[in-house]
Structures are given as structure tokens and as C-alpha cells.
Amino acid sequence: MKEVKEKKEKFVNSNRLKKIGKKIGFFFIGFFVLILVLFIGVRIYFTQNKQTILTEINQKINDNISGHASIGDVGYKFLIGFPNFTVVLNKVELRDSLYTIHKRSVLKAEEIEVRLNVLSLLHRKVDIEKVVLIDTKIDLFKDKNGVSNSNIFKPKPKTNKPKSATETEINELDFKNVVFISQNLQRNKLFHFEVASLKSKINYTDDGFQTDLFLDVFAKSMAFNTKHGSFIKDKRVKGKLAVHFSKAKNKIDVVTEGLGIGDDDFDIVASFGLEKQHPIMNINIKTHILWLNAAHLLDPHLFKILNHFNITKPLDAQCSIIGDMNAEGDPEIIVDAQIKDNVLVSPDGTVTDCNFTGRYINNFKKGLGNNDINSAVIVKNFKGIYEGIPIAIPTAAINNLEKPIATGDIHSKFEVNKLGNVFGDDLFKFTGGTANVDFKFNVDIVALRISKPHFTGKVDIKNANMLYVPKNLTFQTNILLDFTDEALFLRNIKYQRDKNIAFLDGRIDNFLNLYYDNPEKMVAVLNIKSPFMDVKKLMGVLASSQKKVEVKKVTKQAATKKRMALVQKCQVVLNLNLDKMVYSNLTAKNAKIIITANNRHFFVKQGAIETCGGKITFDSQLIPQQNIFDVKTNVNIATVDIPQFLTSFKNFGIKSFQPQNIKGNLSAKADLSIKMTQEGDLVDESAKGSLRFEIKNGSLNDFKPIQKVGKYAFPNRDFKHVVFNDLSGNANINGSLVDVDYFKISSNVINVDIGGVYSFKKGTKLGLTIPLRNPEDDLKIKDKKEREAKRYKGIVLHLLVVDGKDGEMKIKLGSLPKEK
């Protein structure tokens, strides 16, 4: 080691090394002097030939264009681009031959640096190695009449000569603050980019060239159809593009990875045809992006649709754009997205655990054009959780974005209590039970809201406990809702509360259209069969005043709640078929009643019940007045057992006798108006109307009023048991007063004609006409006319029945004044 070190020191200090150093120094000095002399020579040459060079450049440009090129001044930059020579062109402008028509220059540049080959200059030729555009505007334009400024370059003459070895090639481009505009008014297209920086070194091949393009661009407009607006408007685009031009294919291919557009990165593969008539553009884009970020990159008419929704986590998306760059309207656009374990937010609510694939295409049916009418959004394999309810949509589509129509299938199976999350608990509250949903749907969408829906399918609810909140009504139920083309059918519904049991089926015609447009106009026809029904409780359910459903102005449930409030006003037709029914103290069987309910107005038609050994038929209407009902009714009573009948109606409030005092079969016709509580009880003294009645096979037992008459007029006759062969009459009722127009009693012990006023309280004033002859012998006369002729023969007694003390009636001689 020591010997090697000594040899190195000896060589460094030797004369040989010094001589070598001097030779290298002289070489560099000579080389520098040569370069200096060369550039001094070039400067002298440029100064002496500046006008010639400027003329040659102008001439070279003008020889290749159809129009006019002007250069304000020419200069040079020393040592920039060594060993080549950099010429600076100032105030450069290119105009086509039709400039006087459109007034749009193809190019206007404050400064263009042109790097020229020095050796070519020495041979008085101009070869361009590099072009730098600074503060430049490139403006390609076509007006509505097809007049364009872009046909500026002259076509090269066809020749069989081999390519010249001295043909000019631009090996490098550099843009600084360049504005690029391509506007086609005829096709409604506008591309406008502000290029902060663009750098490209070009490698030429036998088939064309290839380059890596480094760019930093601000996109002002990328509008394929200016009527719809611009893609990536006001977004910065930054990255590297691999560009390849093929002469054989006459197109440019572009590939980039991680191209920054706005705040996101994109992988892009694109090609652009260069044919004059039909240049085809094909762009394929892939990215991992947030939904709203992607929406902001699209044109406004798509953004306004997508902006109504949001997917909170990034998603994978691919987009292809294919079209003729000269054609009018949009290119074909296809966007595919894969959503996994995401959250979908919409105007109608939030879907969690969301998975599906989606596609947007604006050329749904080939040959119908790339437009909104022929656009579609297609969703497949949608799964998610909406308000706790699992939803599955195997396939769905929204066609025609001008008048959108959504079609598809939807399936779900869930616990019924989850419905409270959707509709709220203000109307119905479910506990227990399960629901199965199986639907096909076809609905119009107006302003991204469901309108005029068409559903077919079923909702099957089993073993549910349901609370009807406005009436605090709880019952167990099974429900099958069957949506068909013509109506909503309600099937297999079971209602059970306390002892009341009902099985219900029914239909609502045109349900879905009316539910969304005019829910109050719906007519629900319900058939109710029941082994047992307490009608008063049913009336209490139907008639009780509603608790107001609070409708907030801003809530996702507001529209539904408002609509449900209107649904409660719809018309309901109940066809009741009850094996056994109870109304207060009245028990009946084989009840058949039709009830129409509309906004708490009730109309009873063709009501018929079997009770008290007879039959009652009736028609009624119930009109709400605050907390009571005004009832108008026509009743026909056929041969009912009187004691049972009076007991059923609490003896109509009569205290002067009890049901057990009278026997027989009653037939009557009544036309009455009464007042009734919401619970179905009659309001005292509210009855008004007319009554016609007849009693067959009747008898009075221990009936004190008649006993008093008998004691007063016929002390020797037995009035404890009075048998009637005729008891009939007409009366008008007004509250507690009964105006007896005609009341005729024919019995075994007395005949009586009664008229006047009877009061359940005070105000009784009845006139009694009593023949004194014993009717027992007259009963033996079979001819009714003969028996009636003898009725008034002999002495006739006239009595008055008036109010007495403590509710008792008092009898005295006298008669009612005759009507004038």
C-alpha cells in the first residue's frame, strides 16, 4: 500500500501530467472560442439576414395555408437550445381565407419561440426543432351556416416522389398560457381550455409519431351539446398522457393513468379519428370516486338528476364516450358503476348496506339517437336496508329522462313493526307479525317524485297486532293486499278485538292513481263476515273524532302523512253479513247491512236483521254534528215480540209501564230523525217523526194506566189481564211528546179510541173515547164491518188523561177540544 501511494504522488508531481493538463485546457479554450466565433458569426448572419429570414418564415407559412399569416417582429435568444438557434416570433396571427365573414383568427400569439437547426440555416433552409407558444389563443370556429376557419392548411399535392430527407418536423412542443377554443355553432359544441403548461417531446416513426404529453389545463367548457351544458366545467386537468398518432389508421390514441381532474384521479384510454367527414371519438374512463364529485363533472342536465341522490362512500365507475365529433347532439355515453357496502341518500330516505350495479346510457335503443328520450338508468341486483326494512330489486330501469318511467321488481320480507319507521306511528302502529312484499312496478316520475304509479303484486302480513292510533283501536290481523291492473284487492283480513271477530275482503278501484292524486276520492268496498259483532263498538270505531295527524312542513314523512290524512276521508262501503250482532240490549241474527261511510257521514242501505222473533228492515243516514250524529231513518218492523223489543231499546224511556206489562207481536213503520252519540246511544228527547203501528195477539197484564181507566169507568170488569184483538195507531213524535193522531184499542173488556198528546215527562193530555157496552159479546161477531158498526152503540164515555203528581197520570171527565 505504501509503495502504491508513493507512485501516485510521484505521478501527480511529474511533468507528464502537467503537459496533459495543458493540452486539455487548450482544447476547452479553443472549443469555447470556436463556439463564440460561431455564435458571433450566426449573430452577424442573423443581423444581416433578419429580413430575409422573416420573409422566408412568412413565406413558408403562407405557402402551406389558405389565408394570411403575419409576424410582427422576429428576434433571437442567445445560447437557448444550444447548439441550435432560437428565433422569437412576436405578434403572430393566422387567418383563413374567410376571415372577413366570421372575424375569428385561427391563431393569435404574443410570442412564439422557434428553435432552428443551425446547419440548415447555413444552407439557407429553415428546419424547426422546437416550438414554444407563449400567451397564445388558438380558436377553431364553425358558424351556423357551416362557415369554418379551420380549413386553413393547404392539402399537400399527391406525388410519387420519395419523402424529402429535409422535410420539416417539429420535435418538441411547449405551451405556456395558451387558450384553446373549438366552437361549432352548427352542432352546438364548445370546447374551451386554458393551458397553463403543456410539454411534449415527439418521437417520429414510419407510421406517425408518439409522445408523452405533460399538461396542466383549466377546462372552461367541454360541451358536446351546449343545450345541456359542459362536462368537467371549471375543473383543473393535470397529468401525463401517452399520445400516439398513426398515419395508417389516421387517428390519435391517448392513454393516461392517474390523470387529475378536479380532486380525483382517472385512468383514460381514448382515440380520436382525424377524418374530415366523420371523425370518431372513443373515450373510456375508469375511476374510484365519490358520487357527488362525479356528478359535478357531468353536464348540468345530468347533474340536476344525480344531485337529488348521494352515495356517501367512494364507488368504482367506468364511462365510455363514443361519437362523431362533427355530428350534432351528444355522443353515446355509457356510465357503469359498482356500489358495494355503501349508503344511498335520496329525497325519500336513506338506504344503508347498499349494493348494486348501475348503468346510465343515452342510446338505450339503437337507432333512436343519443338523447334524453332514448336514455335509461338501469339498476341490477339492488340490495339494501331502508328504515330497517330489507329491500331487494333484481332489476329496475328508468326510461326516457324527459318523461321518466320507472319499471322493475321489488321484494322484501321483514317484521311488521318496521313499518313505523317508514310511515311513522301517528296512524298505525304494528307489533309482532311478518310482512312479505312481492311487486312489479311501473310508475311515472315527475321532478324525481313518484306519480301515477302502477303496481302489480302482493303484500302479505301475517299474525300482526295493529294499533289504529287515531281511535286507540288495537286488534289482531292478517292482511293480504293484492295489487292488480284494475284494483287493490284486500283478502284474508282478520279483525279481532275483545269478542268482536270479523273476516274482511274488499277492493279499491283505481287505488294507486287516486292514492297519489286524489286519495279522498277513493272508494273502498269491504265485505265483512262475522260470527259475532257488537255494532255499537264498531260504530264507535268508525265514527269517533279523529286525532289530528301532525304534518310537518319539512320531513321525509310529511307527504305520506298528509296523504294518509286524506285517505281517512275516502268513501268506504261496508257490506256486513253478521251471524250474530248486538246493539246495546238488542240481540239479532242473520244481519245484512250495507253501510257507506264518507268523511264520518254514514248511510245505511238495505239493512235487515232478525230479532225478537221478527224482522226489522231499515235505511238510515248519520250526519256528524260536533260530537253527536243527526240520524234520519226509515224502519219497518215485522211481528217482533213486544217485551223483547221494548227491553232492547230500554223501553224508549217510558216510565208509566214496563215491557213485562204488554205482550204481543208488533208491526210498525217509522220515519224518524233522532240524535245519537258517537258511542251509539240515543239522546233523550231527540226523536222526531211519524209512527204507524199495529199489535197482533196482544195483551196487557197489570197495566196501571188501563186499570185506572177501568176502575173509574167499569169497576165490575177485570182489567188485570186485557186481551186485544186490535191495537193500532198513528202518532207523531217530537222529543218527549207523542202526538197521537189515531190509537184504537179493541179488547175483551174495553174498546178505547185515544187521541191527543202523551209526554214521557210532563204535558200529557190524552182524550179517551170509551163505549160503555161490553165488547166481550161483540167479539163473537165474525164480520168486522158489523162488529165495527156496533162499537159505538149505546153510551159513550169521554175522559181526559193528564199529568198527576209524582209522574202519575190523572183521569177526569171531559174531552179534547175539536179542531177547527
Side-chain angles (χ1 to χ4, degrees), residues 169-232:
E169 293 178 345
I170 301 175
N171 296 322
E172 189 173 350
L173 288 175
D174 190 352
F175 288 6
K176 298 177 181 180
N177 299 324
V178 174
V179 175
F180 173 81
I181 298 174
S182 176
Q183 185 176 17
N184 188 329
L185 297 180
Q186 194 176 49
R187 303 302 186 188
N188 296 313
K189 299 180 185 296
L190 175 61
F191 302 94
H192 182 174
F193 301 98
E194 294 180 352
V195 183
S197 172
L198 183 149
K199 296 180 182 296
S200 170
K201 289 186 178 180
I202 304 171
N203 297 318
Y204 290 92
T205 64
D206 292 339
D207 187 41
F209 66 82
Q210 60 186 23
T211 181
D212 287 337
L213 194 67
F214 299 87
L215 77 161
D216 183 356
V217 174
F218 189 76
K220 298 289 289 184
S221 175
M222 195 172 82
F224 299 101
N225 186 344
T226 53
K227 294 179 180 179
H228 289 162
S230 168
F231 288 78
I232 64 171

Side-chain angles (χ1 to χ4, degrees), residues 230-504:
S230 168
F231 288 78
I232 64 171
K233 182 177 177 60
D234 297 330
K235 298 294 181 182
R236 184 163 296 282
V237 181
K238 189 174 183 179
K240 183 183 79 169
L241 284 73
V243 181
H244 176 261
F245 166 65
S246 170
K247 292 180 181 178
K249 297 179 180 179
N250 197 24
K251 70 174 185 177
I252 295 175
D253 293 311
V254 179
V255 178
T256 179
E257 294 182 0
L259 179 68
I261 303 178
D263 297 326
D264 298 282
D265 294 334
F266 296 81
D267 296 338
I268 301 174
V269 177
S271 65
F272 302 90
L274 300 179
E275 297 85 356
K276 287 187 177 181
Q277 296 299 322
H278 300 289
I280 301 301
M281 166 185 61
N282 190 332
I283 304 174
N284 290 278
I285 306 169
K286 292 184 179 180
T287 186
H288 187 68
I289 193 171
L290 286 170
W291 175 273
L292 291 181
N293 285 11
H296 278 94
L297 298 177
L298 302 177
D299 65 47
H301 96 290
L302 292 177
F303 172 76
K304 71 181 181 181
I305 296 173
L306 300 179
N307 193 44
H308 283 78
F309 306 89
N310 188 23
I311 296 174
T312 59
K313 301 177 184 178
L315 55 91
D316 293 322
Q318 305 85 40
C319 175
S320 71
I321 303 173
I322 303 173
D324 185 340
M325 289 186 287
N326 285 342
E328 186 175 3
D330 293 334
E332 180 185 74
I333 301 173
I334 301 175
V335 180
D336 291 300
Q338 296 80 41
I339 288 83
K340 296 180 180 179
D341 301 323
N342 222 310
V343 178
L344 170 63
V345 181
S346 75
D348 294 317
T350 301
V351 180
T352 59
D353 301 325
C354 190
N355 295 272
F356 66 93
T357 60
R359 163 170 283 197
Y360 164 80
I361 182 170
N362 67 345
N363 187 20
F364 184 63
K365 293 183 179 180
K366 299 297 182 183
L368 297 182
N370 306 327
N371 49 59
D372 285 350
I373 295 177
N374 195 30
S375 295
V377 176
I378 302 167
V379 175
K380 291 186 177 181
N381 301 320
F382 183 99
K383 292 183 179 180
I385 306 294
Y386 175 68
E387 300 294 353
I389 298 174
I391 297 173
I393 302 176
T395 181
I398 300 175
N399 296 300
N400 186 352
L401 296 188
E402 284 193 1
K403 296 180 179 179
I405 298 176
T407 59
D409 302 337
I410 183 170
H411 309 287
S412 183
K413 184 176 182 180
F414 56 91
E415 295 178 356
V416 178
N417 60 359
K418 302 294 185 181
L419 288 174
N421 298 334
V422 179
F423 298 108
D425 294 330
D426 295 321
L427 192 62
F428 293 106
K429 186 174 183 179
F430 289 92
T431 56
T434 58
N436 280 282
V437 177
D438 187 1
F439 268 141
K440 291 183 181 296
F441 59 86
N442 185 319
V443 300
D444 292 349
I445 299 177
V446 178
L448 299 175
R449 296 287 185 176
I450 292 176
S451 175
K452 297 181 180 179
H454 179 84
F455 290 96
T456 56
K458 296 179 180 180
V459 177
D460 191 0
I461 298 175
K462 294 183 177 179
N463 303 321
N465 296 316
M466 186 172 76
L467 171 64
Y468 184 46
V469 176
K471 302 178 186 302
N472 194 30
L473 171 66
T474 303
F475 54 90
Q476 296 176 335
T477 185
N478 296 324
I479 300 175
L480 176 60
L481 304 179
D482 190 357
F483 294 85
T484 69
D485 291 335
E486 58 185 14
L488 164 62
F489 290 90
L490 297 88
R491 310 183 194 274
N492 304 333
I493 298 177
K494 177 184 177 182
Y495 162 90
Q496 182 171 357
R497 190 187 188 197
D498 301 329
K499 294 182 180 180
N500 285 343
I501 300 175
F503 300 94
L504 183 148

Side-chain angles (χ1 to χ4, degrees), residues 618-641:
F618 51 91
D619 293 307
S620 306
Q621 65 178 30
L622 291 78
I623 301 174
Q625 297 291 343
Q626 296 181 348
N627 294 325
I628 61 174
F629 286 96
D630 284 339
V631 181
K632 293 182 180 181
T633 182
N634 296 310
V635 182
N636 289 314
I637 301 172
T639 63
V640 298
D641 181 73

